[in-house]
Amino acid sequence: MSAFFNNTSPPSLTFFLTGVPGLEAAHAWISIPFCCLYITALSGNGIILFVIITEPSLHEPMCYFLSMLSSTDLGLCISTMFTALGIFWFNAREISFNVCLTQMFFIHLFTFMESSVLLAMAFDRFVAISNPLRYATILTHSRITQIGVAIITRGTVILIPLVLLLKRLSFCHSHVLHHSYCFHPDVMKLSCSDTKINSALGLTAIISTAGVDSIFIFLSYVLIISSILSIASPKERQKAFSTCISHVTAVAIFYIPLISLSFVHRFGKRAPPYVPTLIANVYLVIPPAMNPIIYSVKTKQIRKAILKVFHCKRVLI
């Protein structure tokens, strides 16, 4: 059994990350929009977390789930930022095997967690609309904490076997990866060992996380729409719909690039080589950058809290 998990790859094994194939000469220019997106993601999610922590009026279930989303987006952003910008700015393409596995673990962990948080937020909206009088008693602080622990535990338990199974592989072909970060299918394809178990486990991981979550999010909105349509007052119906706009947009910007990337990898064989690379980078940068903007614009409580913080700072200056 111990031999099964032996690292058959040399300790000094190094992979080479890829920037944007065919556009290497433009890496410095390509880095500008990516740098802006990273700055937006880090500052935006940092501000969201700060106002939720410091503003007592935001200590409610919806904002707790939003803080989970912002924390996940920060983690996802930091996991990819250093290698992506390192390639664009310094052509720093080398990454050791163990560092690559560590980065891969955190990228997939935060991706799975984001999917889970979006599902939790859909449940939050369903309870708030269908049973508003029991909202606070259903989503108590202890229950929200349990949901947060379950989200982290699920992602970790699913990913640990993926990492252990990669460590048993041998890599005797090209060590050039096709992204600016370490991605499980990308690393797996470089192995000269039998990867059927790795492939099956990777597919199972995707189906049991993003696949299951997306189905339950869809079912949640079927129930939410049903509850909204049963409301007699048109004004109340409009108000109920408006509370879901931010979450629906967040779900769209998470799942649409994910589905697009899957389609490109499977059906875009004739597409230029830079297309899947750009989509893969956008997939991991756009949601963390856009979510704070969406929630600060569409959520009145968050917008007021942010304006209040900046107003206080201006007064102190």
Side-chain angles (χ1 to χ4, degrees):
M1 184 70 176
S2 60
F4 183 78
F5 292 112
N6 279 346
N7 184 1
T8 54
S9 302
S12 58
L13 175 64
T14 299
F15 288 125
F16 296 90
L17 300 170
T18 301
V20 183
L23 298 177
E24 288 83 1
H27 272 182
W29 293 104
I30 294 171
S31 72
I32 295 173
F34 277 97
C35 192
C36 291
L37 288 171
Y38 280 121
I39 291 170
T40 302
L42 292 173
S43 58
N45 287 293
I47 290 170
I48 293 284
L49 280 173
F50 178 77
V51 297
I52 290 175
I53 292 168
T54 57
E55 183 56 49
S57 65
L58 297 180
H59 293 175
E60 57 181 43
M62 185 196 74
C63 293
Y64 289 140
F65 287 124
L66 180 55
S67 68
M68 290 183 196
L69 184 67
S70 290
S71 300
T72 303
D73 282 337
L74 278 174
L76 192 58
C77 193
I78 293 168
S79 298
T80 61
M81 179 174 65
F82 295 105
T83 53
L85 294 182
I87 292 171
F88 292 145
W89 288 347
F90 310 111
N91 197 32
R93 297 178 57 215
E94 293 187 18
I95 186 169
S96 69
F97 180 68
N98 288 328
V99 172
C100 183
L101 289 188
T102 302
Q103 184 189 44
M104 185 202 79
F105 175 85
F106 282 108
I107 288 173
H108 288 291
L109 175 63
F110 288 121
T111 301
F112 293 166
M113 284 175 61
E114 179 137 353
S115 176
S116 301
V117 171
L118 289 172
L119 174 58
M121 295 174 85
F123 176 68
D124 168 79
R125 290 299 83 207
F126 168 67
V127 174
I129 290 169
S130 65
N131 208 339
L133 296 178
R134 295 188 58 208
Y135 179 64
T137 57
I138 293 173
L139 290 172
T140 60
H141 288 187
S142 61
R143 193 158 290 161
I144 292 169
T145 302
Q146 290 169 0
I147 291 172
V149 171
I151 287 170
I152 297 170
T153 303
R154 182 177 79 152
T156 304
V157 168
I158 288 172
L159 280 170
I160 286 175
L162 287 179
V163 174
L164 292 177
L165 286 170
L166 278 179
K167 287 181 73 69
R168 75 179 178 87
L169 299 178
S170 297
F171 296 87
C172 49
H173 299 312
S174 168
H175 293 164
V176 178
L177 298 168
H178 295 94
H179 298 293
S180 57
Y181 53 83
C182 291
F183 195 54
H184 178 262
D186 205 14
V187 175
M188 183 181 63
K189 286 176 184 176
L190 296 183
S191 174
C192 52
S193 306
D194 184 3
T195 59
K196 289 179 182 176
I197 297 175
N198 302 71
S199 182
L201 197 59
L203 181 62
T204 302
I206 289 292
I207 292 172
S208 62
T209 52
V212 171
D213 292 345
S214 61
I215 292 170
F216 278 110
I217 289 171
F218 175 76
L219 292 175
S220 296
Y221 270 95
V222 170
L223 296 174
I224 287 170
I225 292 169
S226 176
S227 298
I228 291 174
L229 293 177
S230 66
I231 299 172
S233 168
K235 188 176 181 180
E236 289 298 317
R237 281 202 298 267
Q238 185 179 0
K239 184 178 178 182
F241 272 122
S242 67
T243 64
C244 299
I245 291 174
S246 299
H247 180 255
V248 171
T249 309
V251 169
I253 64 172
F254 177 77
Y255 281 104
I256 289 174
L258 176 61
I259 294 168
S260 301
L261 183 61
S262 299
F263 269 93
V264 167
H265 273 297
R266 283 166 175 75
F267 307 112
K269 305 295 184 183
R270 297 182 182 178
Y274 59 80
V275 171
T277 304
L278 283 175
I279 293 176
N281 280 291
V282 165
Y283 158 61
L284 292 177
V285 178
I286 290 294
M290 291 301 298
N291 283 336
I293 297 171
I294 292 165
Y295 277 94
S296 60
V297 170
K298 294 291 184 182
T299 308
K300 189 176 180 181
Q301 299 145 286
I302 299 293
R303 187 169 64 250
K304 278 187 173 181
I306 292 172
L307 292 173
K308 181 180 174 182
V309 168
F310 280 102
H311 177 71
C312 289
K313 285 186 177 181
R314 197 179 296 115
V315 170
L316 289 172
I317 292 170

